[in-house]
Amino acid sequence: TDDKSNEESPLGFFGPSMAILFLYFSTGAGARSLLAERRRGTLARLRVAPVHFRSVVIGKLAAIFVVALGSMLALWIATSRLFDASWGSEPGVILLCSATIFAIAGIGALIAARATNEASADAATGMVAFLLALFGGNFFPPGALPDLFEKASRLTPNGAALQAFARLSIDDAPVRAILPAVAVLL
């Protein structure tokens, strides 16, 4: 029959989980590129160009978002088509992917803004990514953590996103059920 439970495929959880972990590196790379441009003097040259500097920064941030969204959606499509893993309804997945990217890109931008150079930004991004992945529950399927740890994981962007992805994929929840998590991520 075609009546498969979404719980049968661990990729329904680990697909979004790994996508979230790797978002730190892809969005962090985009933020670190601004540091490299500042070091090389590219940003100073762009400031004198006949466009608003704000437009340049918005364009760079939009490019980071598009690349991250494309990466996350490619992983979703691959795990769904190749391994029959469900991430949930299409509108819910796209909305949750977008909100997750905004949250993680914000963390990456904060790290890059506080870093003195690209190497320190890389080190800080790796440390933050793995700490939030550990505390957010990226390495453990839903329900595998003790209650206190499960509740504490929701205080991280990883945990908030993973809880919402689990509601979409395992519980087959409607989009409105994940709106509080989307609001927290944004």
Side-chain angles (χ1 to χ4, degrees), residues 100-167:
T100 303
I101 291 165
F102 275 113
I104 293 173
I107 292 169
L110 179 65
I111 291 169
R114 303 294 301 165
T116 55
N117 57 44
E118 296 116 284
S120 66
D122 279 336
T125 298
M127 185 174 62
V128 168
F130 283 107
L131 282 174
L132 288 175
L134 181 64
F135 292 115
N138 285 71
F139 303 119
F140 310 101
L145 300 173
D147 255 2
L148 179 63
F149 196 71
E150 190 84 33
K151 289 176 183 164
S153 75
R154 295 181 192 146
L155 300 174
T156 68
N158 302 45
L162 288 171
Q163 293 286 329
F165 274 116
R167 293 206 61 204

Side-chain angles (χ1 to χ4, degrees), residues 9-92:
S9 175
L11 283 176
F13 170 77
F14 285 110
S17 177
M18 292 302 109
I20 290 168
L21 178 62
F22 289 114
L23 277 178
Y24 283 97
F25 301 105
S26 61
T27 61
R32 286 186 307 279
S33 74
L34 288 172
L35 287 171
E37 289 185 26
R38 182 177 66 191
R39 181 180 46 80
R40 291 183 198 129
T42 310
L43 286 180
R45 290 191 298 271
L46 286 172
R47 282 190 179 274
V48 297
V51 294
H52 290 290
F53 188 68
R54 182 179 2 188
S55 299
V56 172
V57 173
I58 289 171
K60 290 187 174 297
L61 294 176
I64 292 168
F65 176 80
V66 168
V67 168
L69 183 62
S71 300
M72 201 163 185
L73 294 179
L75 186 58
W76 170 44
I77 291 167
T79 57
S80 297
R81 301 289 187 263
L82 296 175
F83 302 105
D84 201 27
S86 173
W87 288 30
S89 70
E90 288 181 18

